[in-house]
Amino acid sequence: MPTRPDRRDPLPLWAQVQRDITARIQRGEFDDVFPGELHLVEEYAVSRHTVREALRALRADGLLDAGRGRPTRVAPAPITATQGVLYSLFSAAEDAGHTQRSIVLALDARADGVIARRLGLEESTPLVHLERLRLLDDAPLALDRVWLPARIAAPLLEADFTRTSLYAELDARCGVRLTGGHEQVRAVIAREREQRLLELPVDPADPAGRASVALLHLERVGELRGQPIEWRQTVIRGDRFALDTDLSSPDRITARPVGGSPR
Amino acid sequence: MPTRPDRRDPLPLWAQVQRDITARIQRGEFDDVFPGELHLVEEYAVSRHTVREALRALRADGLLDAGRGRPTRVAPAPITATQGVLYSLFSAAEDAGHTQRSIVLALDARADGVIARRLGLEESTPLVHLERLRLLDDAPLALDRVWLPARIAAPLLEADFTRTSLYAELDARCGVRLTGGHEQVRAVIAREREQRLLELPVDPADPAGRASVALLHLERVGELRGQPIEWRQTVIRGDRFALDTDLSSPDRITARPVGGSPR
DNA sequence: GTCCATTTGTTCGTATGTATT
DNA sequence: TAATACATACGAACAAATGGA
């Protein structure tokens, strides 16, 4: 069910073909086999050169996996695609030989109008809610809250999140792997509950008992084929966490646990 | 003086043409004008398609700047190698139409044993020290301190940093462009001086007058051919700044100014 | 400001090479 | 080995944008 390109469309033919193939990939139309170039030439009624131009763009976007002599296939959703800062942090901790553990503070199904709307759902839609205190070498590192639609994530309610990761369980129990999303990192002051749970040191010169370390506030929206299905909020102790950028390879950033305050 | 491609070479013709053009660019042969596609067709005795394939690769590598209707040109050497989060922030602000300005709080030469040692220098080595309050649309955004060896950076003492960037001046006045380095981002609580300079809002429930927003603390070491020559420390208002990651293109991170607190 | 020559971008057609299954 | 599919390469024509006359 291809949509043929239209010469009156200001977009070049190859870009129209690219757009249509992208849509078909996202509909899962090519999960079994991807058609050959000549087949696409007939479907779209354009020249092979035009088809190849579209396929070139799709490969550049990482949607296709092609090679000489073998059939092209839809590239499997890379697991790396949905890692981000949070994954980077806990994976770096693992590599450095730290032990990780979580205390599950909440795991239930509930309705939350605010979160549901952020996920583009009805306010009354039931959501699975998971709240964990994440420990690094048995010391509190982060407070992690995540919401997912119960329709998809209900099987998670029986999982034990003391050791395993959310995304591993989501894959194993729900058969779902995120395909995209975005993360945002900001700095915030700890609230009282966070201060208590994260065992933040208190400034002795401050009679009100304010914490002497700040938090990194990570907000994440995970998507499945363009639909947001995860809303996550994590606060991390600022004295135990850093983002690193190597300027020789710009745009690369890694997160890692650190000790002490930077000043 | 082109080297014609050879069919016995296992490399595709377009790749041979690409290789030769790259060499010619590096010899400075095209600093004035870059030849048109048809001219290259004659020089290399290949089809226009082959030439275009080579040019496509060269553009992808960022060596050429081409566009419909205008002559292709050799792309100027990119400054991008040493940008990082800070550059990303101020460049994003520029793109979004914000105005940027700095108040220079200090610009002098001094010795600082701690910093000097971090740069691998003798403790008594004179350093150029620049401290700026950076304003975004005339509102304080960041407090920025940087130290460089005076041997290299002495000409900066006569620069006006109200509008121009450090790296532009470093290039223009000292003939130096950083070749590498690394940045680290953490979250910290504002000190009193920072609180005052950045005009941080104060928590009304806190009698001690603690600020109600946290800071992102950015530490940067810039290198010139492997030697650290810049040590920089910037604190940024956490309510006006965010790091964004698009999970579809992992490792890419951008910084941008934002409004309000995330919660 | 308009027109025109130049230059790159797009699109068609065709043929052959080469790696994989 | 043979069939298949992508990669490379040639040729030709028109479209669209630019920049200068």
Side-chain angles (χ1 to χ4, degrees):
Chain A
M1 27 221 139
T3 302
R4 296 249 176 114
D6 183 351
R7 285 214 129 85
R8 287 163 307 186
D9 192 322
L11 222 57
L13 294 188
W14 65 262
Q16 297 181 49
V17 173
Q18 179 199 2
R19 188 218 294 150
D20 192 62
I21 293 180
T22 303
R24 295 172 76 186
I25 288 175
Q26 277 165 0
R27 289 201 298 267
E29 206 172 314
F30 301 133
D31 286 351
D32 297 334
V33 287
F34 192 84
E37 291 176 350
L38 294 179
H39 187 265
L40 292 171
V41 164
E42 287 185 21
E43 273 195 340
Y44 288 106
V46 295
S47 76
R48 178 150 179 241
H49 183 74
T50 303
V51 165
R52 280 184 63 74
E53 207 66 26
L55 295 182
R56 184 203 298 271
L58 289 165
R59 265 177 306 167
D61 290 350
L63 275 80
L64 291 183
D65 169 36
R68 205 172 206 147
R70 71 190 156 83
T72 298
R73 279 201 288 218
V74 173
I79 316 171
T80 62
T82 56
Q83 296 184 345
V85 168
L86 206 53
Y87 177 89
S88 173
L89 169 62
F90 293 110
S91 135
E94 196 96 335
D95 294 346
H98 295 278
T99 64
Q100 294 180 48
R101 192 163 59 87
S102 292
I103 296 172
V104 176
L105 301 176
L107 176 56
D108 52 46
R110 57 172 76 169
D112 185 314
V114 177
I115 310 290
R117 225 177 307 120
R118 285 181 184 156
L119 293 174
L121 302 170
E122 276 293 317
E123 299 202 358
S124 58
T125 313
L127 302 173
V128 170
H129 172 238
L130 168 65
E131 180 174 32
R132 285 177 291 180
L133 179 65
R134 308 192 69 144
L135 310 178
L136 191 69
D137 296 330
D138 288 328
L141 170 65
L143 187 61
D144 187 14
R145 276 168 289 183
V146 59
W147 289 262
L148 301 133
R151 192 178 60 78
I152 292 172
L156 294 184
L157 291 171
E158 292 157 31
D160 174 14
F161 283 103
T162 306
R163 303 259 171 206
T164 64
S165 93
L166 171 65
Y167 303 111
E169 293 298 317
L170 203 57
D171 186 7
R173 293 176 185 259
C174 312
V176 164
R177 286 186 190 181
L178 301 192
T179 57
H182 63 267
E183 284 183 350
Q184 190 183 76
V185 179
R186 304 180 69 172
V188 298
I189 297 281
R191 294 173 172 177
E192 276 174 41
R193 176 163 180 268
E194 294 159 348
Q195 214 175 120
R196 198 176 62 246
L197 285 168
L198 292 172
E199 297 174 8
L200 295 181
V202 167
D203 189 341
D206 174 15
R210 296 289 292 267
S212 58
V213 309
L215 303 178
L216 276 169
H217 177 271
L218 190 143
E219 192 177 300
R220 172 178 173 136
V221 176
E223 295 179 352
L224 181 64
R225 286 189 290 275
Q227 292 296 318
I229 66 156
E230 172 202 24
W231 196 79
R232 188 166 184 162
Q233 190 185 45
T234 305
V235 290
I236 311 172
R237 282 182 63 143
D239 58 339
R240 298 211 173 143
F241 174 82
L243 290 168
D244 277 319
T245 314
D246 181 357
L247 298 176
S248 308
S249 52
D251 297 334
R252 290 198 68 95
I253 196 155
T254 53
R256 63 183 176 83
V258 293
S261 169
R263 52 186 191 180
Chain B
M1 30 222 145
T3 302
R4 295 243 176 123
D6 183 350
R7 285 213 128 86
R8 287 162 308 186
D9 192 321
L11 221 57
L13 293 187
W14 66 262
Q16 296 181 49
V17 172
Q18 179 199 2
R19 188 218 294 148
D20 191 61
I21 293 180
T22 302
R24 295 173 76 186
I25 288 175
Q26 277 165 359
R27 288 202 299 266
E29 206 172 315
F30 302 133
D31 286 350
D32 298 333
V33 287
F34 191 84
E37 293 176 350
L38 294 179
H39 187 266
L40 292 170
V41 164
E42 286 185 21
E43 272 195 341
Y44 289 106
V46 294
S47 73
R48 184 167 171 230
H49 180 77
T50 303
V51 165
R52 281 183 61 77
E53 208 65 27
L55 296 182
R56 184 203 297 272
L58 289 164
R59 263 178 307 168
D61 289 350
L63 275 80
L64 291 183
D65 169 36
R68 201 176 208 147
R70 73 191 154 85
T72 299
R73 278 196 295 213
V74 174
I79 321 166
T80 62
T82 56
Q83 297 185 344
V85 167
L86 253 196
Y87 177 90
S88 174
L89 169 61
F90 293 109
S91 137
E94 196 95 337
D95 294 345
H98 295 278
T99 63
Q100 295 180 47
R101 192 164 59 87
S102 293
I103 296 173
V104 177
L105 302 175
L107 176 56
D108 52 47
R110 58 171 75 169
D112 185 313
V114 178
I115 310 290
R117 225 177 307 122
R118 284 181 184 156
L119 292 174
L121 302 170
E122 276 294 315
E123 300 201 359
S124 58
T125 313
L127 302 174
V128 169
H129 173 238
L130 169 64
E131 180 172 32
R132 284 177 292 179
L133 179 65
R134 307 191 71 143
L135 309 177
L136 191 67
D137 295 330
D138 288 327
L141 170 66
L143 187 62
D144 187 14
R145 276 168 288 182
V146 59
W147 289 262
L148 301 132
R151 192 178 60 78
I152 292 173
L156 295 184
L157 292 171
E158 292 157 31
D160 174 14
F161 283 104
T162 306
R163 302 257 172 208
T164 64
S165 92
L166 171 65
Y167 303 112
E169 293 298 317
L170 204 55
D171 186 7
R173 293 176 185 260
C174 313
V176 164
R177 285 185 191 182
L178 300 192
T179 56
H182 65 266
E183 284 183 350
Q184 189 183 76
V185 179
R186 304 180 68 172
V188 298
I189 297 281
R191 294 174 172 175
E192 276 172 43
R193 175 162 181 268
E194 293 158 348
Q195 214 174 120
R196 198 176 63 247
L197 286 169
L198 292 172
E199 296 175 10
L200 294 181
V202 167
D203 189 342
D206 174 15
R210 295 288 291 268
S212 58
V213 310
L215 302 178
L216 276 170
H217 177 271
L218 189 144
E219 193 177 300
R220 171 177 172 136
V221 176
E223 295 179 352
L224 180 63
R225 286 185 292 275
Q227 292 296 318
I229 66 156
E230 172 201 25
W231 195 78
R232 187 166 185 162
Q233 192 184 45
T234 306
V235 291
I236 311 171
R237 282 181 63 143
D239 59 339
R240 298 211 174 142
F241 173 82
L243 289 169
D244 277 320
T245 313
D246 181 357
L247 298 176
S248 309
S249 52
D251 297 335
R252 290 198 69 94
I253 196 155
T254 54
R256 63 183 178 82
V258 293
S261 169
R263 50 187 194 178

